[in-house]
Amino acid sequence: MSTTASPTLTAARRRRLPGDRRFRLLLAGLATSSAGDWLYNVALLAFVAERGGAGWLGVVTGARVLPIVLLGPVGGVLADRCDRRMLMLGADAVRAALMLGLAGVAVAGLPLWLAPLLAALATAAASAQPACISATTPRLVAPDELAAANAARAAVGQAAIVVGPALGALVLVVASPVWAFVANAGTFAASAAATWAIPAGPAFAPVAREQGDAGFDLLGDIRSGARALRGAPDAVRLVAADVACSAVYGAETVLLILVAHRLGDGDAGYGLLLGAFGLGGLAGAMLAGRFERHWRRALGVALVAVAVPLPLMGLTTSTALALALAVVGGAGAVVAEVLSETGLQRTLPADVLGRAFGLVIPGSLAGIVVGALLAGPLVNLLGLTGALTTVGGALLVVLAVILTPSPARAGKPAGIATAELA
């Protein structure tokens, strides 16, 4: 019997979501909680700014990001050692309770420092969830649908960036931040319900421990994840691409404000540029699943699409062109993200996948922070156009390094179905 799919079957597969009901439930839970997170972020910033002034905004932002950077590697170990379904259910339950606690802080007028504390605890409670999802996705979809599955997850994330803040703004117009916190608790409950509806089984079971493993060893497990990444040259390149794109995004969160003001559009223009970036991300997510076969070439094109618009944004005097450039950059960033994650899932052994993602995901978030911190000094030193050109040029340098063949590289990364790797 031929193993080649018929054109009709292939077309049908492209028209539907990848995987079966289990993956769709996972995606539904992710969509609900992601939109709630962005809704809650808008309300949280509004709440602390009103109660404590602008100085608290940085504190809250740090409280939301720092725990996942610090605890992500621990979460990756848990994703390989514990039942992932139970980890995700526990994370949703704890975060729902913390959101209700945050609502209580707002209603009772309790000390403001409790807000960043509860926000940090909510982030810490979810430290294993990203690694769980990334490591479980390959078990829920067919091998030839993995890139499409990651693209669907990326699309959910991009849509949440657009929909969540809009919902948060709407809630603040008609009600108080309290109800936004309560609504976010509801999204975690809905996410838990979707995860609970997925039957328990091998897809979520902890990976069998390596032969000779004496038991749980946190530092040893983290080191094994790092060794797996270092031992796969293509994995190192994929991680470098992901972190570099994250650093560029972090810089853009600062630089695009200045672009909008230079164009005379003010804060509203900044919102439009971010929206255009998100729209491009949605387009990139819909396209990314088609590029895996030629992943090196596609990754190169994606990084160029992120880098080249940056200096052009510094030169243009047209808002319409700046928005178009933001769309291109957003599409390139998401294509690079999907290709990088899919490549890692195919390249690394299943028994260390959670630990590897426990290092990669915090690394990407740290890249965002570093990019944002460097943007201001670059503008002071080089001006806006010089800063944008430098950031774009640095990404092109990273691209050149990534695409340079490794002398030690022999053949393609294990499991990647590609006809073109050089």
PDB file of all heavy atoms in Angstrom, residues 58-95:
ATOM      1  N   GLY A  58       7.153  49.657  36.645  1.00  0.00           N
ATOM      2  CA  GLY A  58       8.337  48.834  36.442  1.00  0.00           C
ATOM      3  C   GLY A  58       8.406  47.688  37.431  1.00  0.00           C
ATOM      4  O   GLY A  58       8.841  46.577  37.083  1.00  0.00           O
ATOM      5  N   VAL A  59       7.981  47.947  38.672  1.00  0.00           N
ATOM      6  CA  VAL A  59       7.993  46.894  39.696  1.00  0.00           C
ATOM      7  C   VAL A  59       7.070  45.745  39.291  1.00  0.00           C
ATOM      8  O   VAL A  59       7.435  44.563  39.372  1.00  0.00           O
ATOM      9  CB  VAL A  59       7.567  47.470  41.060  1.00  0.00           C
ATOM     10  CG1 VAL A  59       7.460  46.357  42.106  1.00  0.00           C
ATOM     11  CG2 VAL A  59       8.561  48.534  41.526  1.00  0.00           C
ATOM     12  N   VAL A  60       5.878  46.095  38.842  1.00  0.00           N
ATOM     13  CA  VAL A  60       4.907  45.067  38.463  1.00  0.00           C
ATOM     14  C   VAL A  60       5.373  44.296  37.229  1.00  0.00           C
ATOM     15  O   VAL A  60       5.254  43.064  37.162  1.00  0.00           O
ATOM     16  CB  VAL A  60       3.521  45.708  38.219  1.00  0.00           C
ATOM     17  CG1 VAL A  60       2.575  44.712  37.577  1.00  0.00           C
ATOM     18  CG2 VAL A  60       2.947  46.200  39.530  1.00  0.00           C
ATOM     19  N   THR A  61       5.922  45.027  36.245  1.00  0.00           N
ATOM     20  CA  THR A  61       6.407  44.353  35.037  1.00  0.00           C
ATOM     21  C   THR A  61       7.529  43.378  35.386  1.00  0.00           C
ATOM     22  O   THR A  61       7.558  42.239  34.902  1.00  0.00           O
ATOM     23  CB  THR A  61       6.897  45.384  34.008  1.00  0.00           C
ATOM     24  OG1 THR A  61       5.812  46.244  33.658  1.00  0.00           O
ATOM     25  CG2 THR A  61       7.428  44.697  32.760  1.00  0.00           C
ATOM     26  N   GLY A  62       8.452  43.809  36.232  1.00  0.00           N
ATOM     27  CA  GLY A  62       9.520  42.915  36.668  1.00  0.00           C
ATOM     28  C   GLY A  62       8.983  41.720  37.428  1.00  0.00           C
ATOM     29  O   GLY A  62       9.467  40.590  37.251  1.00  0.00           O
ATOM     30  N   ALA A  63       7.975  41.943  38.256  1.00  0.00           N
ATOM     31  CA  ALA A  63       7.386  40.848  39.034  1.00  0.00           C
ATOM     32  C   ALA A  63       6.726  39.822  38.131  1.00  0.00           C
ATOM     33  O   ALA A  63       6.681  38.626  38.450  1.00  0.00           O
ATOM     34  CB  ALA A  63       6.367  41.402  40.025  1.00  0.00           C
ATOM     35  N   ARG A  64       6.222  40.255  36.982  1.00  0.00           N
ATOM     36  CA  ARG A  64       5.561  39.330  36.069  1.00  0.00           C
ATOM     37  C   ARG A  64       6.550  38.545  35.213  1.00  0.00           C
ATOM     38  O   ARG A  64       6.241  37.445  34.761  1.00  0.00           O
ATOM     39  CB  ARG A  64       4.591  40.089  35.147  1.00  0.00           C
ATOM     40  CG  ARG A  64       3.384  40.652  35.859  1.00  0.00           C
ATOM     41  CD  ARG A  64       2.270  40.896  34.867  1.00  0.00           C
ATOM     42  NE  ARG A  64       1.811  39.630  34.312  1.00  0.00           N
ATOM     43  CZ  ARG A  64       1.213  39.502  33.134  1.00  0.00           C
ATOM     44  NH1 ARG A  64       1.045  40.550  32.375  1.00  0.00           N
ATOM     45  NH2 ARG A  64       0.823  38.329  32.712  1.00  0.00           N
ATOM     46  N   VAL A  65       7.736  39.118  34.953  1.00  0.00           N
ATOM     47  CA  VAL A  65       8.683  38.482  34.031  1.00  0.00           C
ATOM     48  C   VAL A  65       9.763  37.690  34.765  1.00  0.00           C
ATOM     49  O   VAL A  65      10.118  36.574  34.374  1.00  0.00           O
ATOM     50  CB  VAL A  65       9.331  39.542  33.115  1.00  0.00           C
ATOM     51  CG1 VAL A  65      10.427  38.915  32.250  1.00  0.00           C
ATOM     52  CG2 VAL A  65       8.276  40.197  32.235  1.00  0.00           C
ATOM     53  N   LEU A  66      10.293  38.258  35.847  1.00  0.00           N
ATOM     54  CA  LEU A  66      11.466  37.676  36.501  1.00  0.00           C
ATOM     55  C   LEU A  66      11.259  36.238  36.974  1.00  0.00           C
ATOM     56  O   LEU A  66      12.154  35.402  36.804  1.00  0.00           O
ATOM     57  CB  LEU A  66      11.903  38.572  37.664  1.00  0.00           C
ATOM     58  CG  LEU A  66      13.252  38.244  38.302  1.00  0.00           C
ATOM     59  CD1 LEU A  66      14.356  38.318  37.263  1.00  0.00           C
ATOM     60  CD2 LEU A  66      13.535  39.201  39.468  1.00  0.00           C
ATOM     61  N   PRO A  67      10.110  35.881  37.571  1.00  0.00           N
ATOM     62  CA  PRO A  67       9.965  34.496  38.053  1.00  0.00           C
ATOM     63  C   PRO A  67      10.119  33.439  36.968  1.00  0.00           C
ATOM     64  O   PRO A  67      10.713  32.382  37.221  1.00  0.00           O
ATOM     65  CB  PRO A  67       8.555  34.485  38.662  1.00  0.00           C
ATOM     66  CG  PRO A  67       8.310  35.898  39.071  1.00  0.00           C
ATOM     67  CD  PRO A  67       8.968  36.723  38.003  1.00  0.00           C
ATOM     68  N   ILE A  68       9.606  33.690  35.759  1.00  0.00           N
ATOM     69  CA  ILE A  68       9.720  32.664  34.721  1.00  0.00           C
ATOM     70  C   ILE A  68      11.157  32.556  34.243  1.00  0.00           C
ATOM     71  O   ILE A  68      11.622  31.480  33.861  1.00  0.00           O
ATOM     72  CB  ILE A  68       8.764  32.978  33.545  1.00  0.00           C
ATOM     73  CG1 ILE A  68       8.622  31.759  32.633  1.00  0.00           C
ATOM     74  CG2 ILE A  68       9.230  34.162  32.746  1.00  0.00           C
ATOM     75  CD1 ILE A  68       7.928  30.601  33.228  1.00  0.00           C
ATOM     76  N   VAL A  69      11.910  33.674  34.268  1.00  0.00           N
ATOM     77  CA  VAL A  69      13.323  33.626  33.882  1.00  0.00           C
ATOM     78  C   VAL A  69      14.114  32.808  34.900  1.00  0.00           C
ATOM     79  O   VAL A  69      14.964  31.989  34.547  1.00  0.00           O
ATOM     80  CB  VAL A  69      13.898  35.045  33.758  1.00  0.00           C
ATOM     81  CG1 VAL A  69      15.403  35.000  33.492  1.00  0.00           C
ATOM     82  CG2 VAL A  69      13.198  35.800  32.624  1.00  0.00           C
ATOM     83  N   LEU A  70      13.814  33.004  36.177  1.00  0.00           N
ATOM     84  CA  LEU A  70      14.551  32.309  37.230  1.00  0.00           C
ATOM     85  C   LEU A  70      14.093  30.864  37.416  1.00  0.00           C
ATOM     86  O   LEU A  70      14.915  29.975  37.667  1.00  0.00           O
ATOM     87  CB  LEU A  70      14.396  33.069  38.553  1.00  0.00           C
ATOM     88  CG  LEU A  70      14.983  34.491  38.599  1.00  0.00           C
ATOM     89  CD1 LEU A  70      14.710  35.140  39.954  1.00  0.00           C
ATOM     90  CD2 LEU A  70      16.479  34.469  38.309  1.00  0.00           C
ATOM     91  N   LEU A  71      12.798  30.637  37.305  1.00  0.00           N
ATOM     92  CA  LEU A  71      12.245  29.319  37.620  1.00  0.00           C
ATOM     93  C   LEU A  71      11.949  28.469  36.393  1.00  0.00           C
ATOM     94  O   LEU A  71      11.592  27.295  36.530  1.00  0.00           O
ATOM     95  CB  LEU A  71      10.944  29.477  38.434  1.00  0.00           C
ATOM     96  CG  LEU A  71      11.103  30.146  39.801  1.00  0.00           C
ATOM     97  CD1 LEU A  71       9.745  30.304  40.474  1.00  0.00           C
ATOM     98  CD2 LEU A  71      12.053  29.362  40.683  1.00  0.00           C
ATOM     99  N   GLY A  72      12.107  29.040  35.187  1.00  0.00           N
ATOM    100  CA  GLY A  72      11.857  28.264  33.982  1.00  0.00           C
ATOM    101  C   GLY A  72      12.644  26.964  33.919  1.00  0.00           C
ATOM    102  O   GLY A  72      12.076  25.915  33.572  1.00  0.00           O
ATOM    103  N   PRO A  73      13.952  26.978  34.243  1.00  0.00           N
ATOM    104  CA  PRO A  73      14.692  25.708  34.227  1.00  0.00           C
ATOM    105  C   PRO A  73      14.133  24.673  35.192  1.00  0.00           C
ATOM    106  O   PRO A  73      14.112  23.477  34.891  1.00  0.00           O
ATOM    107  CB  PRO A  73      16.115  26.137  34.618  1.00  0.00           C
ATOM    108  CG  PRO A  73      16.212  27.561  34.176  1.00  0.00           C
ATOM    109  CD  PRO A  73      14.840  28.137  34.423  1.00  0.00           C
ATOM    110  N   VAL A  74      13.671  25.142  36.359  1.00  0.00           N
ATOM    111  CA  VAL A  74      13.046  24.214  37.315  1.00  0.00           C
ATOM    112  C   VAL A  74      11.753  23.656  36.724  1.00  0.00           C
ATOM    113  O   VAL A  74      11.460  22.458  36.822  1.00  0.00           O
ATOM    114  CB  VAL A  74      12.769  24.927  38.650  1.00  0.00           C
ATOM    115  CG1 VAL A  74      12.064  23.987  39.629  1.00  0.00           C
ATOM    116  CG2 VAL A  74      14.058  25.460  39.251  1.00  0.00           C
ATOM    117  N   GLY A  75      10.977  24.542  36.081  1.00  0.00           N
ATOM    118  CA  GLY A  75       9.749  24.088  35.435  1.00  0.00           C
ATOM    119  C   GLY A  75      10.024  23.060  34.355  1.00  0.00           C
ATOM    120  O   GLY A  75       9.257  22.110  34.180  1.00  0.00           O
ATOM    121  N   GLY A  76      11.129  23.240  33.621  1.00  0.00           N
ATOM    122  CA  GLY A  76      11.489  22.265  32.599  1.00  0.00           C
ATOM    123  C   GLY A  76      11.800  20.906  33.193  1.00  0.00           C
ATOM    124  O   GLY A  76      11.431  19.864  32.618  1.00  0.00           O
ATOM    125  N   VAL A  77      12.477  20.883  34.337  1.00  0.00           N
ATOM    126  CA  VAL A  77      12.757  19.613  35.016  1.00  0.00           C
ATOM    127  C   VAL A  77      11.453  18.946  35.443  1.00  0.00           C
ATOM    128  O   VAL A  77      11.253  17.732  35.243  1.00  0.00           O
ATOM    129  CB  VAL A  77      13.666  19.846  36.238  1.00  0.00           C
ATOM    130  CG1 VAL A  77      13.795  18.570  37.062  1.00  0.00           C
ATOM    131  CG2 VAL A  77      15.045  20.329  35.791  1.00  0.00           C
ATOM    132  N   LEU A  78      10.544  19.735  36.012  1.00  0.00           N
ATOM    133  CA  LEU A  78       9.254  19.173  36.428  1.00  0.00           C
ATOM    134  C   LEU A  78       8.485  18.615  35.235  1.00  0.00           C
ATOM    135  O   LEU A  78       7.803  17.588  35.347  1.00  0.00           O
ATOM    136  CB  LEU A  78       8.419  20.251  37.135  1.00  0.00           C
ATOM    137  CG  LEU A  78       8.963  20.750  38.472  1.00  0.00           C
ATOM    138  CD1 LEU A  78       8.107  21.895  39.005  1.00  0.00           C
ATOM    139  CD2 LEU A  78       9.023  19.610  39.486  1.00  0.00           C
ATOM    140  N   ALA A  79       8.596  19.291  34.083  1.00  0.00           N
ATOM    141  CA  ALA A  79       7.894  18.815  32.889  1.00  0.00           C
ATOM    142  C   ALA A  79       8.388  17.453  32.436  1.00  0.00           C
ATOM    143  O   ALA A  79       7.633  16.687  31.817  1.00  0.00           O
ATOM    144  CB  ALA A  79       8.049  19.832  31.755  1.00  0.00           C
ATOM    145  N   ASP A  80       9.641  17.134  32.729  1.00  0.00           N
ATOM    146  CA  ASP A  80      10.182  15.818  32.372  1.00  0.00           C
ATOM    147  C   ASP A  80      10.028  14.799  33.488  1.00  0.00           C
ATOM    148  O   ASP A  80      10.199  13.599  33.249  1.00  0.00           O
ATOM    149  CB  ASP A  80      11.671  15.945  32.018  1.00  0.00           C
ATOM    150  CG  ASP A  80      11.883  16.365  30.577  1.00  0.00           C
ATOM    151  OD1 ASP A  80      10.932  16.279  29.782  1.00  0.00           O
ATOM    152  OD2 ASP A  80      13.007  16.802  30.250  1.00  0.00           O
ATOM    153  N   ARG A  81       9.746  15.242  34.704  1.00  0.00           N
ATOM    154  CA  ARG A  81       9.697  14.328  35.855  1.00  0.00           C
ATOM    155  C   ARG A  81       8.287  14.054  36.367  1.00  0.00           C
ATOM    156  O   ARG A  81       8.080  13.075  37.084  1.00  0.00           O
ATOM    157  CB  ARG A  81      10.527  14.922  37.007  1.00  0.00           C
ATOM    158  CG  ARG A  81      12.020  15.017  36.714  1.00  0.00           C
ATOM    159  CD  ARG A  81      12.605  13.645  36.525  1.00  0.00           C
ATOM    160  NE  ARG A  81      14.064  13.674  36.422  1.00  0.00           N
ATOM    161  CZ  ARG A  81      14.812  12.613  36.210  1.00  0.00           C
ATOM    162  NH1 ARG A  81      14.228  11.438  36.073  1.00  0.00           N
ATOM    163  NH2 ARG A  81      16.120  12.707  36.121  1.00  0.00           N
ATOM    164  N   CYS A  82       7.335  14.926  36.039  1.00  0.00           N
ATOM    165  CA  CYS A  82       5.992  14.803  36.612  1.00  0.00           C
ATOM    166  C   CYS A  82       4.953  14.684  35.493  1.00  0.00           C
ATOM    167  O   CYS A  82       5.240  14.950  34.327  1.00  0.00           O
ATOM    168  CB  CYS A  82       5.667  16.031  37.473  1.00  0.00           C
ATOM    169  SG  CYS A  82       6.855  16.346  38.799  1.00  0.00           S
ATOM    170  N   ASP A  83       3.763  14.282  35.871  1.00  0.00           N
ATOM    171  CA  ASP A  83       2.678  14.204  34.908  1.00  0.00           C
ATOM    172  C   ASP A  83       2.337  15.620  34.438  1.00  0.00           C
ATOM    173  O   ASP A  83       1.935  16.473  35.231  1.00  0.00           O
ATOM    174  CB  ASP A  83       1.449  13.552  35.549  1.00  0.00           C
ATOM    175  CG  ASP A  83       0.334  13.338  34.554  1.00  0.00           C
ATOM    176  OD1 ASP A  83      -0.331  14.335  34.208  1.00  0.00           O
ATOM    177  OD2 ASP A  83       0.113  12.198  34.122  1.00  0.00           O
ATOM    178  N   ARG A  84       2.500  15.867  33.156  1.00  0.00           N
ATOM    179  CA  ARG A  84       2.333  17.229  32.637  1.00  0.00           C
ATOM    180  C   ARG A  84       0.896  17.713  32.729  1.00  0.00           C
ATOM    181  O   ARG A  84       0.636  18.912  32.931  1.00  0.00           O
ATOM    182  CB  ARG A  84       2.828  17.283  31.189  1.00  0.00           C
ATOM    183  CG  ARG A  84       4.329  17.083  31.077  1.00  0.00           C
ATOM    184  CD  ARG A  84       4.767  16.872  29.637  1.00  0.00           C
ATOM    185  NE  ARG A  84       6.202  16.568  29.588  1.00  0.00           N
ATOM    186  CZ  ARG A  84       6.816  16.045  28.538  1.00  0.00           C
ATOM    187  NH1 ARG A  84       6.116  15.746  27.449  1.00  0.00           N
ATOM    188  NH2 ARG A  84       8.107  15.807  28.571  1.00  0.00           N
ATOM    189  N   ARG A  85      -0.044  16.823  32.575  1.00  0.00           N
ATOM    190  CA  ARG A  85      -1.449  17.214  32.686  1.00  0.00           C
ATOM    191  C   ARG A  85      -1.753  17.728  34.082  1.00  0.00           C
ATOM    192  O   ARG A  85      -2.418  18.759  34.248  1.00  0.00           O
ATOM    193  CB  ARG A  85      -2.337  16.013  32.344  1.00  0.00           C
ATOM    194  CG  ARG A  85      -3.839  16.265  32.409  1.00  0.00           C
ATOM    195  CD  ARG A  85      -4.574  15.055  31.850  1.00  0.00           C
ATOM    196  NE  ARG A  85      -6.022  15.158  31.977  1.00  0.00           N
ATOM    197  CZ  ARG A  85      -6.707  14.706  33.022  1.00  0.00           C
ATOM    198  NH1 ARG A  85      -6.076  14.126  34.045  1.00  0.00           N
ATOM    199  NH2 ARG A  85      -8.029  14.823  33.046  1.00  0.00           N
ATOM    200  N   MET A  86      -1.257  17.028  35.096  1.00  0.00           N
ATOM    201  CA  MET A  86      -1.496  17.469  36.464  1.00  0.00           C
ATOM    202  C   MET A  86      -0.765  18.771  36.768  1.00  0.00           C
ATOM    203  O   MET A  86      -1.266  19.629  37.504  1.00  0.00           O
ATOM    204  CB  MET A  86      -1.067  16.371  37.447  1.00  0.00           C
ATOM    205  CG  MET A  86      -1.864  15.079  37.323  1.00  0.00           C
ATOM    206  SD  MET A  86      -3.667  15.363  37.387  1.00  0.00           S
ATOM    207  CE  MET A  86      -3.841  16.033  39.052  1.00  0.00           C
ATOM    208  N   LEU A  87       0.417  18.944  36.205  1.00  0.00           N
ATOM    209  CA  LEU A  87       1.143  20.206  36.386  1.00  0.00           C
ATOM    210  C   LEU A  87       0.339  21.377  35.826  1.00  0.00           C
ATOM    211  O   LEU A  87       0.225  22.440  36.460  1.00  0.00           O
ATOM    212  CB  LEU A  87       2.508  20.140  35.709  1.00  0.00           C
ATOM    213  CG  LEU A  87       3.621  19.373  36.412  1.00  0.00           C
ATOM    214  CD1 LEU A  87       4.848  19.311  35.506  1.00  0.00           C
ATOM    215  CD2 LEU A  87       3.990  20.020  37.740  1.00  0.00           C
ATOM    216  N   MET A  88      -0.215  21.197  34.638  1.00  0.00           N
ATOM    217  CA  MET A  88      -0.980  22.278  34.022  1.00  0.00           C
ATOM    218  C   MET A  88      -2.272  22.554  34.778  1.00  0.00           C
ATOM    219  O   MET A  88      -2.672  23.707  34.961  1.00  0.00           O
ATOM    220  CB  MET A  88      -1.248  21.948  32.555  1.00  0.00           C
ATOM    221  CG  MET A  88       0.011  21.992  31.699  1.00  0.00           C
ATOM    222  SD  MET A  88      -0.299  21.889  29.918  1.00  0.00           S
ATOM    223  CE  MET A  88      -0.750  20.164  29.757  1.00  0.00           C
ATOM    224  N   LEU A  89      -2.923  21.491  35.229  1.00  0.00           N
ATOM    225  CA  LEU A  89      -4.139  21.687  36.029  1.00  0.00           C
ATOM    226  C   LEU A  89      -3.825  22.425  37.325  1.00  0.00           C
ATOM    227  O   LEU A  89      -4.550  23.343  37.731  1.00  0.00           O
ATOM    228  CB  LEU A  89      -4.782  20.333  36.330  1.00  0.00           C
ATOM    229  CG  LEU A  89      -5.504  19.649  35.169  1.00  0.00           C
ATOM    230  CD1 LEU A  89      -5.872  18.220  35.548  1.00  0.00           C
ATOM    231  CD2 LEU A  89      -6.756  20.434  34.785  1.00  0.00           C
ATOM    232  N   GLY A  90      -2.746  22.027  37.979  1.00  0.00           N
ATOM    233  CA  GLY A  90      -2.359  22.699  39.221  1.00  0.00           C
ATOM    234  C   GLY A  90      -2.019  24.158  38.993  1.00  0.00           C
ATOM    235  O   GLY A  90      -2.396  25.033  39.795  1.00  0.00           O
ATOM    236  N   ALA A  91      -1.316  24.445  37.914  1.00  0.00           N
ATOM    237  CA  ALA A  91      -0.950  25.829  37.614  1.00  0.00           C
ATOM    238  C   ALA A  91      -2.192  26.684  37.399  1.00  0.00           C
ATOM    239  O   ALA A  91      -2.287  27.804  37.912  1.00  0.00           O
ATOM    240  CB  ALA A  91      -0.056  25.873  36.379  1.00  0.00           C
ATOM    241  N   ASP A  92      -3.158  26.169  36.659  1.00  0.00           N
ATOM    242  CA  ASP A  92      -4.386  26.934  36.420  1.00  0.00           C
ATOM    243  C   ASP A  92      -5.153  27.160  37.710  1.00  0.00           C
ATOM    244  O   ASP A  92      -5.690  28.257  37.947  1.00  0.00           O
ATOM    245  CB  ASP A  92      -5.272  26.202  35.405  1.00  0.00           C
ATOM    246  CG  ASP A  92      -4.798  26.381  33.975  1.00  0.00           C
ATOM    247  OD1 ASP A  92      -4.091  27.370  33.698  1.00  0.00           O
ATOM    248  OD2 ASP A  92      -5.127  25.530  33.125  1.00  0.00           O
ATOM    249  N   ALA A  93      -5.227  26.146  38.563  1.00  0.00           N
ATOM    250  CA  ALA A  93      -5.967  26.287  39.821  1.00  0.00           C
ATOM    251  C   ALA A  93      -5.308  27.327  40.730  1.00  0.00           C
ATOM    252  O   ALA A  93      -5.991  28.188  41.303  1.00  0.00           O
ATOM    253  CB  ALA A  93      -6.041  24.935  40.527  1.00  0.00           C
ATOM    254  N   VAL A  94      -3.995  27.267  40.846  1.00  0.00           N
ATOM    255  CA  VAL A  94      -3.293  28.224  41.706  1.00  0.00           C
ATOM    256  C   VAL A  94      -3.435  29.638  41.152  1.00  0.00           C
ATOM    257  O   VAL A  94      -3.678  30.596  41.901  1.00  0.00           O
ATOM    258  CB  VAL A  94      -1.808  27.829  41.836  1.00  0.00           C
ATOM    259  CG1 VAL A  94      -1.018  28.932  42.531  1.00  0.00           C
ATOM    260  CG2 VAL A  94      -1.676  26.517  42.606  1.00  0.00           C
ATOM    261  N   ARG A  95      -3.291  29.795  39.845  1.00  0.00           N
ATOM    262  CA  ARG A  95      -3.390  31.139  39.275  1.00  0.00           C
ATOM    263  C   ARG A  95      -4.796  31.707  39.404  1.00  0.00           C
ATOM    264  O   ARG A  95      -4.973  32.909  39.627  1.00  0.00           O
ATOM    265  CB  ARG A  95      -2.951  31.105  37.804  1.00  0.00           C
ATOM    266  CG  ARG A  95      -1.440  30.948  37.658  1.00  0.00           C
ATOM    267  CD  ARG A  95      -0.988  31.126  36.226  1.00  0.00           C
ATOM    268  NE  ARG A  95      -1.429  30.018  35.382  1.00  0.00           N
ATOM    269  CZ  ARG A  95      -1.240  29.971  34.069  1.00  0.00           C
ATOM    270  NH1 ARG A  95      -0.646  30.986  33.453  1.00  0.00           N
ATOM    271  NH2 ARG A  95      -1.637  28.932  33.375  1.00  0.00           N
TER     272      ARG A  95
END
